[in-house]
Amino acid sequence: MRLIMLDTETTGLSPLNGDRMVEIGAIEVLDRKVLSSDQHVFHQYINPERDIPAEVVRIHGIDNAKVKNKPTFKEIAQDFLNFIEGATLVIHNASFDLGFIMHELRLNGFENIQDMQVIDTLAFARKKHPHQRNNLDALCDRYDIDRGMRDLHGALLDSELLAEVYLGMTGGRQFSLGMDIPSLPASSFVQLPEQSRGRDEQAETAKIMKRQSPPIADDEHEAHLTMMQRIHEESGGKTVWHHPELAEAS
């Protein structure tokens, strides 16, 4: 199985709040071997077309100057899609990275990857090591993977570390039948904005429909009836609440 270890760095936590990607790193694993030659690696810094907050720069070290003259996502999207085509993506916390990637693809008019197979190593680690820290640093330590060069987050470096973590969690570099983690389609991890918004609206409407009518005071009810009768009389007796057949005819 051809696997692509994938990681991104971004300007913040949510593409729906206007955050964008600033780096994509991906490396291929084939037959449980990490392939590091150029044709098996995709790495690109991206101009997010917005400022990168200082607090985020402290995490990954990518500032505005570093990406000012880099291509936009639209300019590199097709190369990225060509690289991952036909592979299974392996991502640590898949919903985060896929959320950004699928949002950017949609914004720029590229094909949807919702049917691509994806393995979420964070979800697997939580099942394999419950009640323990399961971020990438913790897993590297648990599986004796050298992360000494990881002073800052970086998409390509984290993809390389993820490859070692994945192999460690699934039995090492020797092939073992049945040791691979089950994959799911990308749509299982993230929904496009208009799809999720539609579900949210349906859920909110359902809540409203189930609400009990607010209590009405006797004097308010009496005032309402008086007003309705006044309207009926001024209309010449033609109000639809006295003649529902008129409403049906209209």
Side-chain angles (χ1 to χ4, degrees):
M1 181 167 57
R2 179 173 177 258
L3 303 174
I4 298 293
M5 308 290 149
L6 177 70
D7 187 60
T8 67
E9 299 298 339
T10 69
T11 64
L13 297 177
S14 173
L16 300 184
N17 292 333
D19 289 314
R20 309 289 295 275
M21 288 188 292
V22 297
E23 185 186 13
I24 298 179
I27 188 166
E28 184 177 353
V29 173
L30 186 63
D31 296 332
R32 305 190 70 79
K33 295 179 181 178
V34 182
L35 306 177
S36 57
S37 57
D38 290 346
Q39 65 265 37
H40 300 292
V41 174
F42 183 91
H43 182 224
Q44 182 65 63
Y45 289 105
I46 301 168
N47 182 344
E49 302 179 280
R50 56 151 292 171
D51 285 338
I52 306 173
E55 60 270 23
V56 179
V57 175
R58 286 193 289 270
I59 296 173
H60 52 50
I62 303 171
D63 58 17
N64 295 321
K66 190 167 186 174
V67 295
K68 179 180 179 180
N69 297 317
K70 298 300 180 181
T72 63
F73 179 81
K74 185 174 184 178
E75 294 173 302
I76 61 95
Q78 192 57 58
D79 288 340
F80 172 68
L81 289 172
N82 292 343
F83 180 77
I84 65 174
E85 184 178 6
T88 295
L89 303 179
V90 180
I91 308 174
H92 201 67
N93 192 10
S95 59
F96 178 84
D97 299 273
L98 285 175
F100 277 91
I101 292 169
M102 293 172 71
H103 185 68
E104 293 270 12
L105 289 170
R106 171 182 169 272
L107 284 179
N108 291 286
F110 287 90
E111 62 186 271
N112 200 317
I113 62 168
Q114 63 181 9
D115 295 327
M116 283 199 73
Q117 291 297 300
V118 178
I119 291 171
D120 186 351
T121 50
L122 177 59
F124 181 74
R126 285 171 172 167
K127 292 180 180 178
K128 189 176 178 69
H129 308 290
H131 312 301
Q132 300 183 55
R133 293 175 62 246
N134 286 301
N135 59 31
L136 200 56
D137 284 342
L139 290 170
C140 284
D141 294 343
R142 192 169 300 143
Y143 289 97
D144 296 322
I145 298 166
D146 183 11
R147 60 177 180 88
M149 73 296 287
R150 193 183 190 235
D151 294 327
L152 295 171
H153 288 251
L156 183 58
L157 174 59
D158 286 359
S159 294
E160 294 169 347
L161 293 175
L162 178 58
E164 299 297 334
V165 165
Y166 173 84
L167 293 173
M169 288 197 298
T170 57
R173 291 177 179 268
Q174 297 300 314
F175 178 76
S176 178
L177 186 64
M179 286 301 294
D180 284 324
I181 307 171
S183 62
L184 295 169
S187 58
S188 299
F189 299 96
V190 64
Q191 296 290 332
L192 294 179
E194 67 272 16
Q195 293 172 312
S196 60
R197 184 165 58 247
R199 287 200 309 276
D200 291 343
E201 289 173 353
Q202 291 174 6
E204 184 59 29
T205 300
K207 292 178 183 177
I208 293 173
M209 296 297 290
K210 292 179 180 178
R211 291 176 186 169
Q212 294 183 347
S213 300
I216 301 175
D218 291 341
D219 58 338
E220 292 177 339
H221 181 63
E222 188 64 32
H224 173 72
L225 293 177
T226 300
M227 177 61 70
M228 296 287 282
Q229 182 61 30
R230 177 182 172 184
I231 295 172
H232 177 65
E233 292 172 356
E234 291 181 356
S235 71
K238 296 180 180 180
T239 51
V240 296
W241 51 84
H242 282 278
H243 301 282
E245 69 277 2
L246 296 177
E248 294 174 359
S250 62

